[in-house]
Amino acid sequence: MAKRKTRKAPPKTGIAAAPYTTFNDLNNYLRTETDRKDVAGVIRTQIRQDFAGDELKLMLNAPDYFYHFNALPATVILWKQQNLPMPKGYDYDTVMKTFYEELKEGAERKAIESAKPTDRLIKTPHELMKEKTERFMAEVEYVVDQYPNQPKFNMYNEMTLVSLAAVSARTVFDYYERILDELRELVEKKTPDLVEAYSHLNVKERKAYYEFIHELVSDAKKYILAKKATRAIRTPRVKTADRQVSKLQYAKTSDEFKLTSINPMSIVGSMRLYVFNTKTRTVSEYLTQSSKGFQMKGTTLQGWDKERSRQTRLRKPEEGLNMIQTKTPTAIGKWWTTLTTKTNPCNGRINNDTILLRVFDR
């Protein structure tokens, strides 16, 4: 008799594959690995159990981002369903009460807006971008409000995950930079008004909160620089630029240093190039005296000045990379003279460990 074949059960995905090893593991999974619709489904199911009648209709009619971008309520719901003890700093009733209050306010605001007469139904690109920015800001604010018991959050990764526009990222950066300036004054100058405003935090907690906001601002700035680096080139500098760089091997991104390479076509015809080797932490500055600018042949940079070009190893990569990505060639030159590491000649080679940082026309 032939042996009966057994079929393996298909692998679990979505909510069914959620990890319950720790509360933060579950929260991070819902934030980054799960479809937003699945998160919304968990929240809406709980709402149907907690409300009825007209109140239920209202609570299910809030803007979509309340359901799709609030992983914490979904986390406490699923955690409670498994009869697991809530971790320190989290209380099911408190989290859901806060969420329901915000949800109700959003639903009522939406109902008022919907009742207003309008001449058009199609939203402009500006309005759509504004809504996406507000949704992202609401998610960040939700995390900040949980401090010091906030879930693990990486601003750079979250912006990348939702493909946030550079304009929206700048709005987020500007908002939290103002808060950072206020906290810096609190920590360094201990201004009486600010000390009173933050009296619920002791000195150690104020410094920790400052570092938390500083990391959010720093990651937002790195994301803006990354978006700027990948900005589309309207027209190539020379007609054959795409062919010149077709075989170029370089690192498109670096998760370790949170960097993104510029479009390699912008190298052709430029007069100054900065690159960074993520493996050796070496930054190189290439200059050319050719009126045609740089040219590329395979993985080798052509037309660079061997006497004036230079490279050095960065002891503080974050500080040095920020300088090169944001300052003028003159400012970069002055900064270079302050480095204590040895300056060496370049070799003109670009490989898979090389991030293309920036180019100049002078």
Side-chain angles (χ1 to χ4, degrees):
M1 185 176 180
K3 187 177 180 180
R4 188 177 179 181
K5 293 184 177 180
T6 57
R7 296 179 62 185
K8 292 183 178 180
K12 294 181 179 180
T13 59
I15 296 296
Y20 291 91
T21 48
T22 68
F23 186 85
N24 279 338
D25 285 344
L26 176 60
N27 185 260
N28 291 333
Y29 178 82
L30 295 180
R31 289 171 56 80
T32 60
E33 304 294 334
T34 309
D35 192 295
R36 300 292 186 183
K37 292 181 180 179
D38 291 340
V39 175
V42 172
I43 294 175
R44 286 193 170 106
T45 299
Q46 188 64 41
I47 291 173
R48 291 187 180 95
Q49 295 176 12
D50 294 341
F51 298 92
D54 292 338
E55 193 173 20
L56 173 60
K57 292 180 180 179
L58 177 67
M59 298 299 278
L60 290 175
N61 196 40
D64 285 343
Y65 60 84
F66 277 99
Y67 313 102
H68 290 74
F69 292 92
N70 274 313
L72 185 59
T75 303
V76 297
I77 291 169
L78 293 175
W79 195 259
K80 184 180 179 182
Q81 288 175 359
Q82 298 295 320
N83 294 319
L84 295 170
M86 287 290 167
K88 184 179 180 181
Y90 292 96
D91 177 72
Y92 176 85
D93 293 333
T94 302
V95 171
M96 295 307 296
K97 179 183 178 183
T98 301
F99 172 67
Y100 282 155
E101 288 174 352
E102 294 175 352
L103 184 68
K104 184 177 181 181
E105 183 180 342
E108 291 173 342
R109 194 163 53 241
K110 179 181 176 182
I112 294 173
E113 290 295 326
S114 300
K116 292 181 179 178
T118 178
D119 296 330
R120 56 183 173 82
L121 298 176
I122 301 176
K123 295 181 179 179
T124 65
H126 176 74
E127 290 172 332
L128 293 172
M129 181 176 290
K130 183 180 179 182
E131 285 185 2
K132 188 172 183 178
T133 305
E134 290 174 349
R135 286 198 299 269
F136 187 82
M137 286 285 288
E139 185 176 2
V140 179
E141 276 295 278
Y142 199 84
V143 172
V144 173
D145 287 344
Q146 304 303 313
Y147 184 87
N149 299 308
Q150 77 282 2
K152 186 178 180 182
F153 186 85
N154 185 304
M155 180 78 88
Y156 184 92
N157 290 345
E158 293 296 328
M159 287 182 166
T160 303
L161 189 65
V162 299
S163 299
L164 198 67
V167 175
S168 299
R170 171 60 66 175
T171 300
V172 177
F173 172 81
D174 290 342
Y175 177 78
Y176 284 102
E177 188 180 39
R178 288 193 293 270
I179 296 177
L180 182 64
D181 290 340
E182 179 180 281
L183 291 171
R184 185 182 294 111
E185 184 178 342
L186 169 68
V187 172
E188 296 178 357
K189 298 183 179 180
K190 297 180 176 59
T191 306
D193 290 344
L194 293 176
V195 171
E196 182 178 353
Y198 289 90
S199 59
H200 60 288
L201 300 175
N202 59 39
V203 174
K204 185 178 180 180
E205 290 171 338
R206 292 171 196 166
K207 291 181 179 179
Y209 188 53
Y210 168 79
E211 293 298 331
F212 170 64
I213 299 297
H214 182 274
E215 185 175 0
L216 295 182
V217 173
S218 178
D219 280 358
K221 184 176 182 180
K222 290 174 181 176
Y223 180 82
I224 293 170
L225 291 173
K227 293 292 285 187
K228 185 177 180 181
T230 55
R231 188 168 51 193
I233 305 296
R234 291 185 179 180
T235 55
R237 295 178 185 275
V238 292
K239 292 182 179 179
T240 59
D242 55 338
R243 294 183 179 180
Q244 289 189 43
V245 302
S246 62
K247 296 182 180 180
L248 179 63
Q249 301 293 318
Y250 67 100
K252 294 183 178 180
T253 60
S254 170
D255 292 335
E256 179 183 358
F257 296 98
K258 297 176 182 176
L259 296 173
T260 301
S261 285
I262 60 174
N263 191 320
M265 286 197 298
S266 62
I267 297 175
V268 180
S270 63
M271 307 300 289
R272 189 186 301 260
L273 167 67
Y274 291 95
V275 300
F276 177 68
N277 188 299
T278 57
K279 188 175 182 180
T280 62
R281 296 190 175 188
T282 300
V283 65
S284 303
E285 179 188 47
Y286 288 98
L287 300 171
T288 181
Q289 291 183 334
S290 172
S291 59
K292 295 181 180 179
F294 294 120
Q295 305 294 310
M296 289 297 306
K297 186 176 182 180
T299 59
T300 305
L301 187 67
Q302 302 287 313
W304 56 281
D305 190 329
K306 295 182 179 180
E307 293 184 1
R308 297 170 60 214
S309 299
R310 55 187 176 175
Q311 65 180 16
T312 189
R313 190 173 187 277
L314 297 180
R315 289 179 177 171
K316 298 180 179 179
E318 184 168 354
E319 177 182 330
L321 293 172
N322 181 63
M323 172 67 68
I324 291 172
Q325 288 185 301
T326 60
K327 302 300 181 180
T328 63
T330 301
I332 295 172
K334 291 181 179 179
W335 163 78
W336 198 297
T337 61
T338 65
L339 298 177
T340 57
T341 51
K342 184 179 179 180
T343 296
N344 299 307
C346 299
N347 57 22
R349 296 280 182 182
I350 296 175
N351 57 35
N352 289 323
D353 296 318
T354 306
I355 289 286
L356 311 177
L357 287 176
R358 201 175 182 190
V359 294
F360 289 95
D361 292 328
R362 55 187 175 87

